[in-house]
Amino acid sequence: MNYVRSPVASMKGYTPGFQPDPRERYIKVNSNENPFPPSPKVKAVLAKMNFEDLRLYPDPLSLELREKLGALYGFSPAEIICGNGSDEILNIIIRTFVQPGEMISFHEPTFPLYRILGILQNAALAPLPMAEPFLDPPFPPEECKVFFLANPNSPVGFFYPTALVRKFAERFRGILVVDEAYAEFARENSLALAHEFPNVIVVRTVSKSYSLAGVRLGYALGNQSLVAEMLKVKDPFNITRMTQELVAVALDDQEYLKRNVAEIIRIREGFTREITYLGYRVIPSQGNFIFPQPPEKGRGKKFYEGLLERKVLTRYYDVDGLRDGLRMTIGAEEEMKEVLQVLKDLLPQFWAK
Ligand SMILES: *Cc1c(COP(=O)(O)O)cnc(C)c1O
């Protein structure tokens, strides 16, 4: 007897970035984690967290967080839902809106989880392959139920202006999910579209910009009639007490967030300039990561291995459209100086003979 559902048995599952032994000294720029610690206010709350309270369930509706997020972005709590990372939010979206057999779509290359969640829901997948220069992306098919648009894109880092996302929203009759995991590092965002269009959901996370990937908190902003249905689908107590408390203070410290983000952008722009000068190709990034490509095409794997040998952990994707380079997170200034030196050392291998 086959115990496992066939879509599960035949798929590969999400491959997380390699997590090295913390005692080994790697420069870890493979998971788009933030190199800076979270706000010191988070540390203070963590230190005096109430041990006794751990026996109690958390607020199932994360109301304080939704109020804070609402005040920050100009939404009402009824237009916001919190999730155990934006990964859970994406999962809730699929389970709320997509019947088995209905179509979902996304550009490719993109964040690999959309495909996995679609397979698990027995959705019909209609990926839209994209090629450079990425300026004129294909629109979703008419009958598509949910379209996932990662903006800024991951893993390449390019960005669609809000005016273009607006065209998607205007033309598309299904639900447009704008995954803004990196929005804080970008020039513009689609929050206004989530207000204006009843079919636009913006998904955010504290993992990257707030340096809180370890606490797991993502959220979605959108029309309250959609959010009300999503609230029925989420796990009843999906956000732990600890997460609710820690994220609340992190959201209060907007000044720290802004400084942290400005610093990453400064390092990103400087590093991009330096390696472009060396001869690497970098598509301009609006995230906290870049996708550098050696001068010779198709050498992403060799590039990845060269970096790994020198203890720099990056992310290589063995899929169409991504074999020319690799994804590299923007780390702290000192780390990026070391990485720059490694890129200089590797370069002679990539000039075609
Ligand atoms: C990191 C990332 C996520 C997941 O974020 P979590 O909140 O940590 O689950 C979702 N979408 C994209 C595009 C990401 O890069």
PDB file of all heavy atoms in Angstrom, residues 14 31-32 84-88 90 110-111 113-114 150-154 179-182 203-208 213 216-218 289 327, ligand 1:
ATOM      1  N   TYR A  14      11.511  21.670  -0.456  1.00  0.00           N
ATOM      2  CA  TYR A  14      12.294  22.911  -0.437  1.00  0.00           C
ATOM      3  C   TYR A  14      13.717  22.625   0.039  1.00  0.00           C
ATOM      4  O   TYR A  14      13.918  21.921   1.020  1.00  0.00           O
ATOM      5  CB  TYR A  14      11.615  23.922   0.498  1.00  0.00           C
ATOM      6  CG  TYR A  14      12.281  25.275   0.521  1.00  0.00           C
ATOM      7  CD1 TYR A  14      12.068  26.199  -0.499  1.00  0.00           C
ATOM      8  CD2 TYR A  14      13.133  25.647   1.562  1.00  0.00           C
ATOM      9  CE1 TYR A  14      12.660  27.444  -0.487  1.00  0.00           C
ATOM     10  CE2 TYR A  14      13.743  26.902   1.588  1.00  0.00           C
ATOM     11  CZ  TYR A  14      13.496  27.786   0.555  1.00  0.00           C
ATOM     12  OH  TYR A  14      14.097  29.025   0.583  1.00  0.00           O
ATOM     13  N   SER A  31      21.808  32.817   2.653  1.00  0.00           N
ATOM     14  CA  SER A  31      20.376  32.707   2.996  1.00  0.00           C
ATOM     15  C   SER A  31      19.675  34.056   3.145  1.00  0.00           C
ATOM     16  O   SER A  31      18.572  34.124   3.678  1.00  0.00           O
ATOM     17  CB  SER A  31      20.201  31.904   4.291  1.00  0.00           C
ATOM     18  OG  SER A  31      20.510  30.543   4.059  1.00  0.00           O
ATOM     19  N   ASN A  32      20.300  35.104   2.650  1.00  0.00           N
ATOM     20  CA  ASN A  32      19.728  36.450   2.726  1.00  0.00           C
ATOM     21  C   ASN A  32      19.387  36.872   4.154  1.00  0.00           C
ATOM     22  O   ASN A  32      18.491  37.676   4.377  1.00  0.00           O
ATOM     23  CB  ASN A  32      18.512  36.594   1.804  1.00  0.00           C
ATOM     24  CG  ASN A  32      18.937  36.581   0.349  1.00  0.00           C
ATOM     25  OD1 ASN A  32      20.129  36.599   0.053  1.00  0.00           O
ATOM     26  ND2 ASN A  32      17.988  36.538  -0.560  1.00  0.00           N
ATOM     27  N   ASN A  84       3.409  32.449  10.583  1.00  0.00           N
ATOM     28  CA  ASN A  84       4.659  31.886  11.091  1.00  0.00           C
ATOM     29  C   ASN A  84       5.706  31.972   9.969  1.00  0.00           C
ATOM     30  O   ASN A  84       6.030  30.990   9.307  1.00  0.00           O
ATOM     31  CB  ASN A  84       4.388  30.446  11.524  1.00  0.00           C
ATOM     32  CG  ASN A  84       5.596  29.785  12.145  1.00  0.00           C
ATOM     33  OD1 ASN A  84       6.586  30.435  12.471  1.00  0.00           O
ATOM     34  ND2 ASN A  84       5.528  28.489  12.289  1.00  0.00           N
ATOM     35  N   GLY A  85       6.184  33.186   9.761  1.00  0.00           N
ATOM     36  CA  GLY A  85       7.004  33.485   8.587  1.00  0.00           C
ATOM     37  C   GLY A  85       6.087  33.771   7.401  1.00  0.00           C
ATOM     38  O   GLY A  85       4.909  33.387   7.423  1.00  0.00           O
ATOM     39  N   SER A  86       6.610  34.469   6.378  1.00  0.00           N
ATOM     40  CA  SER A  86       5.747  34.662   5.209  1.00  0.00           C
ATOM     41  C   SER A  86       5.568  33.339   4.480  1.00  0.00           C
ATOM     42  O   SER A  86       4.626  33.179   3.704  1.00  0.00           O
ATOM     43  CB  SER A  86       6.250  35.772   4.294  1.00  0.00           C
ATOM     44  OG  SER A  86       7.595  35.622   3.988  1.00  0.00           O
ATOM     45  N   ASP A  87       6.426  32.364   4.750  1.00  0.00           N
ATOM     46  CA  ASP A  87       6.195  31.017   4.205  1.00  0.00           C
ATOM     47  C   ASP A  87       4.796  30.514   4.578  1.00  0.00           C
ATOM     48  O   ASP A  87       4.074  29.980   3.743  1.00  0.00           O
ATOM     49  CB  ASP A  87       7.242  30.029   4.746  1.00  0.00           C
ATOM     50  CG  ASP A  87       8.644  30.297   4.205  1.00  0.00           C
ATOM     51  OD1 ASP A  87       8.777  31.058   3.217  1.00  0.00           O
ATOM     52  OD2 ASP A  87       9.607  29.742   4.766  1.00  0.00           O
ATOM     53  N   GLU A  88       4.413  30.688   5.850  1.00  0.00           N
ATOM     54  CA  GLU A  88       3.068  30.239   6.233  1.00  0.00           C
ATOM     55  C   GLU A  88       1.984  31.074   5.553  1.00  0.00           C
ATOM     56  O   GLU A  88       0.936  30.553   5.172  1.00  0.00           O
ATOM     57  CB  GLU A  88       2.846  30.281   7.762  1.00  0.00           C
ATOM     58  CG  GLU A  88       1.515  29.607   8.142  1.00  0.00           C
ATOM     59  CD  GLU A  88       0.903  30.009   9.495  1.00  0.00           C
ATOM     60  OE1 GLU A  88       1.403  30.918  10.169  1.00  0.00           O
ATOM     61  OE2 GLU A  88      -0.115  29.394   9.856  1.00  0.00           O
ATOM     62  N   LEU A  90       2.078  32.366   2.588  1.00  0.00           N
ATOM     63  CA  LEU A  90       1.918  31.868   1.212  1.00  0.00           C
ATOM     64  C   LEU A  90       1.109  30.569   1.203  1.00  0.00           C
ATOM     65  O   LEU A  90       0.240  30.357   0.359  1.00  0.00           O
ATOM     66  CB  LEU A  90       3.296  31.645   0.575  1.00  0.00           C
ATOM     67  CG  LEU A  90       4.166  32.907   0.447  1.00  0.00           C
ATOM     68  CD1 LEU A  90       5.601  32.539   0.043  1.00  0.00           C
ATOM     69  CD2 LEU A  90       3.570  33.885  -0.565  1.00  0.00           C
ATOM     70  N   THR A 110      12.063  32.221  -9.906  1.00  0.00           N
ATOM     71  CA  THR A 110      11.518  32.956  -8.774  1.00  0.00           C
ATOM     72  C   THR A 110      11.707  32.137  -7.501  1.00  0.00           C
ATOM     73  O   THR A 110      12.343  31.084  -7.509  1.00  0.00           O
ATOM     74  CB  THR A 110      10.036  33.299  -8.985  1.00  0.00           C
ATOM     75  OG1 THR A 110       9.613  34.235  -7.999  1.00  0.00           O
ATOM     76  CG2 THR A 110       9.150  32.058  -8.860  1.00  0.00           C
ATOM     77  N   PHE A 111      11.118  32.602  -6.410  1.00  0.00           N
ATOM     78  CA  PHE A 111      11.161  31.907  -5.128  1.00  0.00           C
ATOM     79  C   PHE A 111      10.565  30.500  -5.295  1.00  0.00           C
ATOM     80  O   PHE A 111       9.431  30.357  -5.739  1.00  0.00           O
ATOM     81  CB  PHE A 111      10.355  32.741  -4.129  1.00  0.00           C
ATOM     82  CG  PHE A 111      10.463  32.306  -2.697  1.00  0.00           C
ATOM     83  CD1 PHE A 111      11.696  32.119  -2.099  1.00  0.00           C
ATOM     84  CD2 PHE A 111       9.314  32.121  -1.943  1.00  0.00           C
ATOM     85  CE1 PHE A 111      11.782  31.749  -0.760  1.00  0.00           C
ATOM     86  CE2 PHE A 111       9.396  31.753  -0.608  1.00  0.00           C
ATOM     87  CZ  PHE A 111      10.628  31.560  -0.020  1.00  0.00           C
ATOM     88  N   LEU A 113       9.306  28.265  -3.421  1.00  0.00           N
ATOM     89  CA  LEU A 113       8.206  27.753  -2.587  1.00  0.00           C
ATOM     90  C   LEU A 113       6.835  27.822  -3.280  1.00  0.00           C
ATOM     91  O   LEU A 113       5.964  26.994  -2.999  1.00  0.00           O
ATOM     92  CB  LEU A 113       8.161  28.522  -1.259  1.00  0.00           C
ATOM     93  CG  LEU A 113       7.272  27.927  -0.173  1.00  0.00           C
ATOM     94  CD1 LEU A 113       7.761  26.543   0.270  1.00  0.00           C
ATOM     95  CD2 LEU A 113       7.204  28.850   1.050  1.00  0.00           C
ATOM     96  N   TYR A 114       6.639  28.775  -4.202  1.00  0.00           N
ATOM     97  CA  TYR A 114       5.324  28.884  -4.857  1.00  0.00           C
ATOM     98  C   TYR A 114       4.984  27.571  -5.555  1.00  0.00           C
ATOM     99  O   TYR A 114       3.870  27.061  -5.471  1.00  0.00           O
ATOM    100  CB  TYR A 114       5.290  30.018  -5.890  1.00  0.00           C
ATOM    101  CG  TYR A 114       5.820  31.346  -5.403  1.00  0.00           C
ATOM    102  CD1 TYR A 114       6.587  32.159  -6.245  1.00  0.00           C
ATOM    103  CD2 TYR A 114       5.559  31.797  -4.110  1.00  0.00           C
ATOM    104  CE1 TYR A 114       7.076  33.378  -5.812  1.00  0.00           C
ATOM    105  CE2 TYR A 114       6.061  33.015  -3.669  1.00  0.00           C
ATOM    106  CZ  TYR A 114       6.822  33.800  -4.524  1.00  0.00           C
ATOM    107  OH  TYR A 114       7.322  35.004  -4.093  1.00  0.00           O
ATOM    108  N   ALA A 150       7.161  37.976  -6.986  1.00  0.00           N
ATOM    109  CA  ALA A 150       8.170  38.378  -6.002  1.00  0.00           C
ATOM    110  C   ALA A 150       8.799  39.675  -6.490  1.00  0.00           C
ATOM    111  O   ALA A 150       9.407  39.720  -7.549  1.00  0.00           O
ATOM    112  CB  ALA A 150       9.237  37.294  -5.857  1.00  0.00           C
ATOM    113  N   ASN A 151       8.636  40.736  -5.722  1.00  0.00           N
ATOM    114  CA  ASN A 151       9.142  42.041  -6.124  1.00  0.00           C
ATOM    115  C   ASN A 151       9.694  42.793  -4.910  1.00  0.00           C
ATOM    116  O   ASN A 151       8.933  43.153  -4.036  1.00  0.00           O
ATOM    117  CB  ASN A 151       8.007  42.851  -6.771  1.00  0.00           C
ATOM    118  CG  ASN A 151       8.530  43.994  -7.609  1.00  0.00           C
ATOM    119  OD1 ASN A 151       9.572  43.870  -8.258  1.00  0.00           O
ATOM    120  ND2 ASN A 151       7.826  45.107  -7.602  1.00  0.00           N
ATOM    121  N   PRO A 152      10.999  43.029  -4.807  1.00  0.00           N
ATOM    122  CA  PRO A 152      12.074  42.616  -5.696  1.00  0.00           C
ATOM    123  C   PRO A 152      12.080  41.104  -5.934  1.00  0.00           C
ATOM    124  O   PRO A 152      11.717  40.340  -5.058  1.00  0.00           O
ATOM    125  CB  PRO A 152      13.349  43.025  -4.953  1.00  0.00           C
ATOM    126  CG  PRO A 152      12.928  44.124  -4.044  1.00  0.00           C
ATOM    127  CD  PRO A 152      11.517  43.826  -3.681  1.00  0.00           C
ATOM    128  N   ASN A 153      12.525  40.742  -7.140  1.00  0.00           N
ATOM    129  CA  ASN A 153      12.631  39.329  -7.484  1.00  0.00           C
ATOM    130  C   ASN A 153      13.705  38.653  -6.639  1.00  0.00           C
ATOM    131  O   ASN A 153      14.694  39.259  -6.270  1.00  0.00           O
ATOM    132  CB  ASN A 153      13.005  39.210  -8.976  1.00  0.00           C
ATOM    133  CG  ASN A 153      13.398  37.795  -9.371  1.00  0.00           C
ATOM    134  OD1 ASN A 153      14.539  37.375  -9.182  1.00  0.00           O
ATOM    135  ND2 ASN A 153      12.459  37.051  -9.900  1.00  0.00           N
ATOM    136  N   SER A 154      13.463  37.399  -6.293  1.00  0.00           N
ATOM    137  CA  SER A 154      14.533  36.556  -5.765  1.00  0.00           C
ATOM    138  C   SER A 154      14.614  35.363  -6.706  1.00  0.00           C
ATOM    139  O   SER A 154      13.568  34.872  -7.126  1.00  0.00           O
ATOM    140  CB  SER A 154      14.196  36.092  -4.353  1.00  0.00           C
ATOM    141  OG  SER A 154      15.200  35.230  -3.881  1.00  0.00           O
ATOM    142  N   ASP A 179       4.845  39.468  -3.347  1.00  0.00           N
ATOM    143  CA  ASP A 179       5.711  39.000  -2.258  1.00  0.00           C
ATOM    144  C   ASP A 179       6.836  40.018  -2.075  1.00  0.00           C
ATOM    145  O   ASP A 179       7.782  40.071  -2.854  1.00  0.00           O
ATOM    146  CB  ASP A 179       6.257  37.612  -2.611  1.00  0.00           C
ATOM    147  CG  ASP A 179       7.097  37.011  -1.480  1.00  0.00           C
ATOM    148  OD1 ASP A 179       7.475  37.740  -0.547  1.00  0.00           O
ATOM    149  OD2 ASP A 179       7.380  35.798  -1.550  1.00  0.00           O
ATOM    150  N   GLU A 180       6.706  40.815  -1.027  1.00  0.00           N
ATOM    151  CA  GLU A 180       7.656  41.916  -0.796  1.00  0.00           C
ATOM    152  C   GLU A 180       8.622  41.607   0.341  1.00  0.00           C
ATOM    153  O   GLU A 180       8.879  42.447   1.212  1.00  0.00           O
ATOM    154  CB  GLU A 180       6.882  43.217  -0.512  1.00  0.00           C
ATOM    155  CG  GLU A 180       6.093  43.721  -1.712  1.00  0.00           C
ATOM    156  CD  GLU A 180       5.686  45.188  -1.590  1.00  0.00           C
ATOM    157  OE1 GLU A 180       5.611  45.692  -0.451  1.00  0.00           O
ATOM    158  OE2 GLU A 180       5.451  45.813  -2.629  1.00  0.00           O
ATOM    159  N   ALA A 181       9.207  40.404   0.320  1.00  0.00           N
ATOM    160  CA  ALA A 181      10.141  40.012   1.373  1.00  0.00           C
ATOM    161  C   ALA A 181      11.306  41.014   1.497  1.00  0.00           C
ATOM    162  O   ALA A 181      11.899  41.148   2.562  1.00  0.00           O
ATOM    163  CB  ALA A 181      10.680  38.608   1.099  1.00  0.00           C
ATOM    164  N   TYR A 182      11.619  41.705   0.392  1.00  0.00           N
ATOM    165  CA  TYR A 182      12.780  42.614   0.380  1.00  0.00           C
ATOM    166  C   TYR A 182      12.388  44.073   0.191  1.00  0.00           C
ATOM    167  O   TYR A 182      13.236  44.903  -0.130  1.00  0.00           O
ATOM    168  CB  TYR A 182      13.757  42.185  -0.729  1.00  0.00           C
ATOM    169  CG  TYR A 182      14.194  40.755  -0.560  1.00  0.00           C
ATOM    170  CD1 TYR A 182      13.605  39.735  -1.317  1.00  0.00           C
ATOM    171  CD2 TYR A 182      15.147  40.399   0.381  1.00  0.00           C
ATOM    172  CE1 TYR A 182      13.968  38.407  -1.141  1.00  0.00           C
ATOM    173  CE2 TYR A 182      15.520  39.085   0.563  1.00  0.00           C
ATOM    174  CZ  TYR A 182      14.925  38.094  -0.196  1.00  0.00           C
ATOM    175  OH  TYR A 182      15.286  36.787  -0.025  1.00  0.00           O
ATOM    176  N   VAL A 203       2.613  40.675   0.680  1.00  0.00           N
ATOM    177  CA  VAL A 203       3.175  39.791   1.714  1.00  0.00           C
ATOM    178  C   VAL A 203       4.529  40.336   2.153  1.00  0.00           C
ATOM    179  O   VAL A 203       5.360  40.690   1.312  1.00  0.00           O
ATOM    180  CB  VAL A 203       3.324  38.351   1.165  1.00  0.00           C
ATOM    181  CG1 VAL A 203       3.932  37.439   2.224  1.00  0.00           C
ATOM    182  CG2 VAL A 203       1.978  37.809   0.715  1.00  0.00           C
ATOM    183  N   ARG A 204       4.702  40.425   3.457  1.00  0.00           N
ATOM    184  CA  ARG A 204       5.951  40.976   4.017  1.00  0.00           C
ATOM    185  C   ARG A 204       6.508  40.038   5.086  1.00  0.00           C
ATOM    186  O   ARG A 204       5.821  39.132   5.555  1.00  0.00           O
ATOM    187  CB  ARG A 204       5.665  42.338   4.661  1.00  0.00           C
ATOM    188  CG  ARG A 204       5.256  43.438   3.687  1.00  0.00           C
ATOM    189  CD  ARG A 204       6.479  44.199   3.272  1.00  0.00           C
ATOM    190  NE  ARG A 204       6.172  45.286   2.346  1.00  0.00           N
ATOM    191  CZ  ARG A 204       6.292  46.585   2.637  1.00  0.00           C
ATOM    192  NH1 ARG A 204       6.666  46.969   3.846  1.00  0.00           N
ATOM    193  NH2 ARG A 204       6.044  47.505   1.731  1.00  0.00           N
ATOM    194  N   THR A 205       7.720  40.325   5.535  1.00  0.00           N
ATOM    195  CA  THR A 205       8.351  39.507   6.576  1.00  0.00           C
ATOM    196  C   THR A 205       9.306  40.359   7.407  1.00  0.00           C
ATOM    197  O   THR A 205       9.814  41.375   6.915  1.00  0.00           O
ATOM    198  CB  THR A 205       9.123  38.326   5.947  1.00  0.00           C
ATOM    199  OG1 THR A 205       9.816  37.617   6.975  1.00  0.00           O
ATOM    200  CG2 THR A 205      10.168  38.795   4.931  1.00  0.00           C
ATOM    201  N   VAL A 206       9.545  39.947   8.644  1.00  0.00           N
ATOM    202  CA  VAL A 206      10.581  40.606   9.452  1.00  0.00           C
ATOM    203  C   VAL A 206      11.918  39.863   9.337  1.00  0.00           C
ATOM    204  O   VAL A 206      12.898  40.239   9.977  1.00  0.00           O
ATOM    205  CB  VAL A 206      10.178  40.738  10.942  1.00  0.00           C
ATOM    206  CG1 VAL A 206       8.890  41.536  11.094  1.00  0.00           C
ATOM    207  CG2 VAL A 206      10.067  39.383  11.622  1.00  0.00           C
ATOM    208  N   SER A 207      11.959  38.800   8.529  1.00  0.00           N
ATOM    209  CA  SER A 207      13.159  37.961   8.472  1.00  0.00           C
ATOM    210  C   SER A 207      14.384  38.700   7.955  1.00  0.00           C
ATOM    211  O   SER A 207      15.482  38.516   8.473  1.00  0.00           O
ATOM    212  CB  SER A 207      12.917  36.754   7.563  1.00  0.00           C
ATOM    213  OG  SER A 207      11.977  35.886   8.146  1.00  0.00           O
ATOM    214  N   LYS A 208      14.223  39.502   6.912  1.00  0.00           N
ATOM    215  CA  LYS A 208      15.390  40.088   6.266  1.00  0.00           C
ATOM    216  C   LYS A 208      15.693  41.474   6.813  1.00  0.00           C
ATOM    217  O   LYS A 208      16.760  41.699   7.373  1.00  0.00           O
ATOM    218  CB  LYS A 208      15.171  40.123   4.756  1.00  0.00           C
ATOM    219  CG  LYS A 208      15.440  38.796   4.058  1.00  0.00           C
ATOM    220  CD  LYS A 208      14.287  37.844   4.033  1.00  0.00           C
ATOM    221  CE  LYS A 208      14.633  36.499   3.425  1.00  0.00           C
ATOM    222  NZ  LYS A 208      13.526  35.918   2.673  1.00  0.00           N
ATOM    223  N   ALA A 213      15.002  36.583  11.222  1.00  0.00           N
ATOM    224  CA  ALA A 213      14.641  35.335  10.533  1.00  0.00           C
ATOM    225  C   ALA A 213      14.382  34.211  11.536  1.00  0.00           C
ATOM    226  O   ALA A 213      13.582  33.312  11.291  1.00  0.00           O
ATOM    227  CB  ALA A 213      15.745  34.924   9.558  1.00  0.00           C
ATOM    228  N   ARG A 216      10.489  33.979  13.139  1.00  0.00           N
ATOM    229  CA  ARG A 216       9.415  33.564  12.234  1.00  0.00           C
ATOM    230  C   ARG A 216       8.169  34.438  12.336  1.00  0.00           C
ATOM    231  O   ARG A 216       7.239  34.148  13.071  1.00  0.00           O
ATOM    232  CB  ARG A 216       9.015  32.079  12.466  1.00  0.00           C
ATOM    233  CG  ARG A 216      10.151  31.101  12.573  1.00  0.00           C
ATOM    234  CD  ARG A 216      11.058  31.109  11.357  1.00  0.00           C
ATOM    235  NE  ARG A 216      10.355  30.847  10.122  1.00  0.00           N
ATOM    236  CZ  ARG A 216      10.496  31.590   9.017  1.00  0.00           C
ATOM    237  NH1 ARG A 216      11.308  32.640   8.983  1.00  0.00           N
ATOM    238  NH2 ARG A 216       9.824  31.299   7.937  1.00  0.00           N
ATOM    239  N   LEU A 217       8.169  35.533  11.611  1.00  0.00           N
ATOM    240  CA  LEU A 217       6.951  36.332  11.529  1.00  0.00           C
ATOM    241  C   LEU A 217       6.837  36.959  10.153  1.00  0.00           C
ATOM    242  O   LEU A 217       7.730  37.686   9.713  1.00  0.00           O
ATOM    243  CB  LEU A 217       6.945  37.421  12.610  1.00  0.00           C
ATOM    244  CG  LEU A 217       5.637  38.189  12.934  1.00  0.00           C
ATOM    245  CD1 LEU A 217       5.274  39.273  11.927  1.00  0.00           C
ATOM    246  CD2 LEU A 217       4.436  37.269  13.133  1.00  0.00           C
ATOM    247  N   GLY A 218       5.754  36.621   9.482  1.00  0.00           N
ATOM    248  CA  GLY A 218       5.431  37.261   8.212  1.00  0.00           C
ATOM    249  C   GLY A 218       4.013  37.788   8.307  1.00  0.00           C
ATOM    250  O   GLY A 218       3.293  37.468   9.254  1.00  0.00           O
ATOM    251  N   PHE A 289      20.732  41.378  -1.465  1.00  0.00           N
ATOM    252  CA  PHE A 289      21.552  40.338  -2.084  1.00  0.00           C
ATOM    253  C   PHE A 289      21.784  40.748  -3.534  1.00  0.00           C
ATOM    254  O   PHE A 289      21.119  41.656  -4.044  1.00  0.00           O
ATOM    255  CB  PHE A 289      20.820  38.989  -2.040  1.00  0.00           C
ATOM    256  CG  PHE A 289      19.486  39.038  -2.734  1.00  0.00           C
ATOM    257  CD1 PHE A 289      19.363  38.712  -4.072  1.00  0.00           C
ATOM    258  CD2 PHE A 289      18.348  39.470  -2.062  1.00  0.00           C
ATOM    259  CE1 PHE A 289      18.150  38.797  -4.729  1.00  0.00           C
ATOM    260  CE2 PHE A 289      17.120  39.559  -2.707  1.00  0.00           C
ATOM    261  CZ  PHE A 289      17.026  39.214  -4.039  1.00  0.00           C
ATOM    262  N   ARG A 327      23.671  33.477  -6.190  1.00  0.00           N
ATOM    263  CA  ARG A 327      23.100  34.500  -5.321  1.00  0.00           C
ATOM    264  C   ARG A 327      23.983  34.688  -4.103  1.00  0.00           C
ATOM    265  O   ARG A 327      24.417  33.706  -3.490  1.00  0.00           O
ATOM    266  CB  ARG A 327      21.686  34.128  -4.879  1.00  0.00           C
ATOM    267  CG  ARG A 327      20.944  35.312  -4.248  1.00  0.00           C
ATOM    268  CD  ARG A 327      19.636  34.892  -3.631  1.00  0.00           C
ATOM    269  NE  ARG A 327      19.870  34.098  -2.436  1.00  0.00           N
ATOM    270  CZ  ARG A 327      18.917  33.555  -1.703  1.00  0.00           C
ATOM    271  NH1 ARG A 327      17.652  33.679  -2.069  1.00  0.00           N
ATOM    272  NH2 ARG A 327      19.202  32.849  -0.627  1.00  0.00           N
TER     273      ARG A 327
HETATM  274  C1  LIG B   1      12.865  34.897   2.455  1.00  0.00           C
HETATM  275  C2  LIG B   1      11.677  34.899   1.561  1.00  0.00           C
HETATM  276  C3  LIG B   1      10.416  34.503   2.012  1.00  0.00           C
HETATM  277  C4  LIG B   1      10.224  33.813   3.345  1.00  0.00           C
HETATM  278  O1  LIG B   1      10.332  34.618   4.399  1.00  0.00           O
HETATM  279  P1  LIG B   1       9.997  34.108   5.863  1.00  0.00           P
HETATM  280  O2  LIG B   1       9.158  35.216   6.411  1.00  0.00           O
HETATM  281  O3  LIG B   1      11.301  33.953   6.556  1.00  0.00           O
HETATM  282  O4  LIG B   1       9.220  32.828   5.788  1.00  0.00           O
HETATM  283  C5  LIG B   1       9.343  34.630   1.170  1.00  0.00           C
HETATM  284  N1  LIG B   1       9.478  35.102  -0.082  1.00  0.00           N
HETATM  285  C6  LIG B   1      10.663  35.478  -0.570  1.00  0.00           C
HETATM  286  C7  LIG B   1      10.771  35.977  -1.958  1.00  0.00           C
HETATM  287  C8  LIG B   1      11.798  35.375   0.237  1.00  0.00           C
HETATM  288  O5  LIG B   1      12.989  35.698  -0.259  1.00  0.00           O
END
